[in-house]
Amino acid sequence: MKSKFLKLSFVSLLLLHVFSVGAQHVNDVNRGVVHQDSAPPPPMEIAYPEELPGQNVPAYNSHYYKWEVPVFEAVDLNRLRQYEADNQAYLREIEALEDIQKRNKQQLKSYQDQVKDLTKALKIEQKNLNEKRRFYREDEKLLKRERKLRDQEEKMIKKERKELRKQTQEMATWQIEDRLAKLNEREQRIHYATERWEYKRETLHQNIAKVSETQTILNDKSFELKTRERELAAYGREQKMVQKQLSLEKKQVKQEIKKAKAVIRAQQGKKWWWPF
C-alpha cells in the first residue's frame, strides 16, 4: 500500500513539472521571448532617424535568454531638408512670377484706361456731331420756310402787277411809274434773297455731307475701340487664370513646406528608449 502511494506521488509531481514548463513556454511566447529552437519573428518596418543612439550596441545575452539587436531603417533628414529647401526655392520663384504678374496687371490696366479715355472722348465727339446735325436740320427747316415765304411774295407781286395793268387808265403816269419802281425793287430784293438762299442751301448740303462723313469715321472709331476693349478683356481673363494658378501653386507649396518642417521637428524632438 505504501509503495503504491509513493508511485502515485511521483507521477503527480512529474505531471505538475510538465504543466509548469508548458505554462512557462506560453508566457515566454506572450512576452515576446524567442527560444533557440524557434524561428525569430520578422522585423517591423518602422521609420527612425538616420542617427540612433546605440545603433551598434552588441547583443546583450542574459543567463536565460538571447536578445536580438533591433535593426531600424534610417530616416534621411538631410533629404527631407533638401526637399524643404527645394520648396522654398520654388516658393521664391512663384513670388517672383507674382511680381511679374502684378506689373502685367498694371500695364493691362493702363491700356484699359486708355480705351476708356478714348471712348469718353469719342462720346463727346458724337454728342457735338449730333448737335451739329440738329442745327443743320433747323437751318434746313428755316430755308424751306424762307423759300415758302418768298414764293408767296412773288405771287403777291405778280398779282399786284396784274391789278396795276387794269388800273393804268385811271392813274397818272407818275403814279404808275412809282408803283412799278416799288414792284421792281421788291422783285430785286427777292432775287438777291434767292441767290443768298441758294448759297446757304449749298453750304448746308456740304455741311450735312461732312456730318455724314464724320459720322462714318466715328462709327469706325467706335468699332475699333470696342474691338480693342474685347481684346484687352481676353488678356484680362488670361491674366486672372495665371494669377489663380500661381495662388494655387503657392498655397500647395506652403503646405508642403509646413508638412516638411513638422516632420523634421517631430523627428528631431523624438525621444528614444532601449529595452537593454
Side-chain angles (χ1 to χ4, degrees):
M1 179 65 67
K2 185 176 183 181
S3 61
K4 290 182 179 181
F5 177 77
L6 292 175
K7 288 180 180 180
L8 290 174
S9 299
F10 177 76
V11 171
S12 300
L13 291 174
L14 181 61
L15 291 175
L16 182 61
H17 177 70
V18 171
F19 289 147
S20 63
V21 171
Q24 179 65 33
H25 177 72
V26 173
N27 292 331
D28 292 343
V29 172
N30 292 331
R31 291 197 301 267
V33 178
V34 180
H35 294 275
Q36 294 181 357
D37 56 351
S38 62
M44 298 178 64
E45 296 182 357
I46 303 176
Y48 292 95
E50 69 275 15
E51 295 179 359
L52 298 177
Q55 180 69 31
N56 298 322
V57 175
Y60 174 76
N61 295 324
S62 66
H63 294 288
Y64 304 101
Y65 308 103
K66 180 180 179 181
W67 302 100
E68 297 290 339
V69 177
V71 179
F72 303 120
E73 294 183 6
V75 175
D76 192 356
L77 287 182
N78 291 329
R79 183 178 179 183
L80 193 60
R81 294 190 186 98
Q82 183 62 41
Y83 176 72
E84 179 189 359
D86 292 341
N87 282 321
Q88 291 285 1
Y90 185 49
L91 179 60
R92 289 192 295 270
E93 291 292 335
I94 293 176
E95 291 174 348
L97 292 177
E98 285 182 335
D99 293 338
I100 296 174
Q101 184 69 17
K102 186 181 295 184
R103 292 195 296 270
N104 291 339
K105 186 177 180 181
Q106 292 175 353
Q107 185 180 20
L108 179 62
K109 187 178 184 303
S110 65
Y111 291 152
Q112 290 174 337
D113 291 341
Q114 180 186 18
V115 172
K116 290 180 181 179
D117 294 338
L118 293 175
T119 302
K120 186 177 180 180
L122 181 63
K123 288 182 179 179
I124 294 175
E125 289 185 41
Q126 183 65 56
K127 183 178 180 180
N128 294 335
L129 187 65
N130 292 336
E131 289 294 327
K132 285 184 179 181
R133 185 182 289 108
R134 187 173 65 83
F135 291 151
Y136 293 153
R137 288 175 180 174
E138 292 294 331
D139 290 342
E140 190 174 13
K141 290 180 181 179
L142 291 175
L143 286 177
K144 289 180 179 181
R145 185 178 180 183
E146 181 182 348
R147 178 62 182 269
K148 183 178 180 181
L149 293 174
R150 189 164 54 252
D151 291 341
Q152 291 177 356
E153 189 174 0
E154 286 180 348
K155 290 179 180 180
M156 290 293 297
I157 292 174
K158 289 180 180 181
K159 185 178 180 181
E160 289 180 7
R161 282 184 179 278
K162 187 177 180 181
E163 291 177 356
L164 180 61
R165 282 194 296 270
K166 293 179 180 180
Q167 297 174 359
T168 53
Q169 296 178 357
E170 301 175 358
M171 296 175 63
T173 303
W174 65 270
Q175 292 178 337
I176 296 174
E177 292 178 350
D178 183 63
R179 292 280 302 275
L180 288 174
K182 290 181 179 179
L183 292 173
N184 291 334
E185 184 180 359
R186 290 171 59 187
E187 286 181 345
Q188 190 67 27
R189 288 199 303 267
I190 291 175
H191 177 72
Y192 290 150
T194 302
E195 290 182 350
R196 292 194 303 270
W197 182 88
E198 292 289 344
Y199 175 77
K200 290 168 63 176
R201 187 182 67 172
E202 183 66 23
T203 303
L204 180 62
H205 288 171
Q206 293 177 358
N207 291 334
I208 292 175
K210 289 181 180 179
V211 167
S212 299
E213 294 176 358
T214 305
Q215 184 63 60
T216 302
I217 294 173
L218 293 182
N219 292 338
D220 293 339
K221 286 183 178 180
S222 178
F223 178 77
E224 185 175 347
L225 287 174
K226 290 180 180 179
T227 302
R228 177 62 171 173
E229 186 177 2
R230 289 192 295 269
E231 181 184 29
L232 294 177
Y235 289 145
R237 289 191 294 270
E238 292 177 359
Q239 295 297 320
K240 286 182 179 179
M241 291 178 62
V242 172
Q243 183 63 43
K244 185 177 180 180
Q245 185 64 29
L246 288 176
S247 299
L248 181 61
E249 291 290 335
K250 187 175 182 180
K251 182 178 180 180
Q252 290 178 350
V253 75
K254 283 185 175 181
Q255 290 178 352
E256 292 296 327
I257 293 172
K258 185 177 181 181
K259 290 179 181 178
K261 288 183 177 180
V263 173
I264 292 173
R265 287 195 300 267
Q267 294 296 342
Q268 288 177 345
K270 195 169 184 181
K271 296 182 181 179
W272 305 96
W273 62 273
W274 303 90
F276 45 81

